[in-house]
């Protein structure tokens, strides 16, 4: 297994390519610490990325796995989704207390608060991200450390742009019966009544107190994404549908059909860190082949196990 740093024409590092012995790969940008590609051993792209994405740093690319920190969405006074996705990250040579990255296809990145950041968010922090690639699996471990002399709080998310065959043929299992905030209804709180989440219009919801495992079932591709997470209690489900897609300059008019965002997030209850404290989250994305459309897969077995 290996990793490879790709440099821009001016010699500055631009991205890291992770490779794994079965042939799967992942690409991570230093800009935003953003995973922008994850391909399986058959070279199939598992993460959505818009063909119209406007690659204009510091703006994040539309797709992959952008990070929201120290603010999710508009839950505060900062720019939408905070500033971490708009900063250039560095390689982290001392990811303690995590063990140093071994020969596996793993990279450790770090973002430290700058004087410019302190002007808009007056808290000194270190934000670390470990990205690990293994057979059929992509793991992200974010960590935030308070290196200030006073407490601070933040919200956080990993936005997973999943590539799907047809959004109308996708269902999400594991969030049924849960309460959620509907951002299309001024954040009103509702309880999910459906047996599974399916899609026929714009969706923008924050599901609360979610389980550690969620399954995203793509009937047409006979593929199920399994999302495991720790330390992030909420799950955001988003698809812009047709009208919203047309209003987004970095998204194609038909792109909404080929994508679904399911985020690992800490939104409802901000995370509070005292000086020297560290928060750690974990997200593991994997895929399993499924024959759900022929009745051979019970999605609840994916969620709860046999």
């Amino acid at each position: 297994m290996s990793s490879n740093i790709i440099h821009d024409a001016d010699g500055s590092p631009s991205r890291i390519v992770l490779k794994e012995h079965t042939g799967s790969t992942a690409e991570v940008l230093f800009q935003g610490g953003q995973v922008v590609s994850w391909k399986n051993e058959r070279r199939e792209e598992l993460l959505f990325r818009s063909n119209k994405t406007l690659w204009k740093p510091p703006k994040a690319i539309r797709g992959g796995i952008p990070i929201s920190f120290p603010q999710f969405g508009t839950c505060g006074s900062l720019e939408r989704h905070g500033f971490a996705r708009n900063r250039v990250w560095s390689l982290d040579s001392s990811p303690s207390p995590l063990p140093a990255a071994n020969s596996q296809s793993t990279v450790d990145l770090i973002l430290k608060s700058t004087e410019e950041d302190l002007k808009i968010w007056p808290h000194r922090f270190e934000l670390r991200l470990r990205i690990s690639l293994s057979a059929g699996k992509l793991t992200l471990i974010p960590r935030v450390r308070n290196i200030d002399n006073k407490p601070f709080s933040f919200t956080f998310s990993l936005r997973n742009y999943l590539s799907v065959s047809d959004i109308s043929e996708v269902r999400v299992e594991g969030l049924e019966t849960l309460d959620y905030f509907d951002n299309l209804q001024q954040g009103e709180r509702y309880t999910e009544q459906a047996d599974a989440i399916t899609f026929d219009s714009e969706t923008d919801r924050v599901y609360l107190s979610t389980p550690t495992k969620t399954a995203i079932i793509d009937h047409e591709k006979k593929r199920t994404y399994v999302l495991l997470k720790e330390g992030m209690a909420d799950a955001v489900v988003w698809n812009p549908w047709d009208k919203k897609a047309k209003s987004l300059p970095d998204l194609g008019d038909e792109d909404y059909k080929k994508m679904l965002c399911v985020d690992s997030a800490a939104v409802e209850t901000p995370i509070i860190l005292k000086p020297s404290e560290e928060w750690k989250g974990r997200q593991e994305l994997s895929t399993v082949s499924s024959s759900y459309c022929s009745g051979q897969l019970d999605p609840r077995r994916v969620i709860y196990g046999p």
Side-chain angles (χ1 to χ4, degrees), residues 126-139:
E126 292 176 344
L127 170 56
R128 288 179 161 86
L129 181 66
R130 168 167 286 190
I131 301 128
S132 298
L133 180 69
S134 56
K137 188 182 299 180
L138 182 67
T139 302

Side-chain angles (χ1 to χ4, degrees), residues 67 69 84 89 109-113 125-129 142-145 156 279:
I67 294 168
F69 173 87
W89 295 46
L109 297 178
I110 187 169
L111 180 70
K112 297 182 179 182
S113 49
F125 68 88
E126 292 176 344
L127 170 56
R128 288 179 161 86
L129 181 66
R143 293 182 291 149
V144 177
R145 180 178 291 277
F156 185 91
W279 164 83

Side-chain angles (χ1 to χ4, degrees), residues 29 31-32 34 50 52-62 79 85-88 249-250:
L29 300 181
Q31 175 69 45
Q34 183 176 354
S50 171
K52 284 185 66 178
T53 193
L54 307 174
W55 178 224
K56 292 182 179 178
K59 184 176 173 59
I61 282 179
R62 173 77 66 183
E79 60 190 297
R85 61 174 59 189
N86 300 328
R87 300 291 189 264
V88 177
D250 58 351

Side-chain angles (χ1 to χ4, degrees), residues 108-122:
D108 289 295
L109 297 178
I110 187 169
L111 180 70
K112 297 182 179 182
S113 49
T114 65
E115 293 306 312
E116 288 302 306
D117 296 333
L118 293 170
K119 292 176 183 177
I120 58 172
W121 197 66

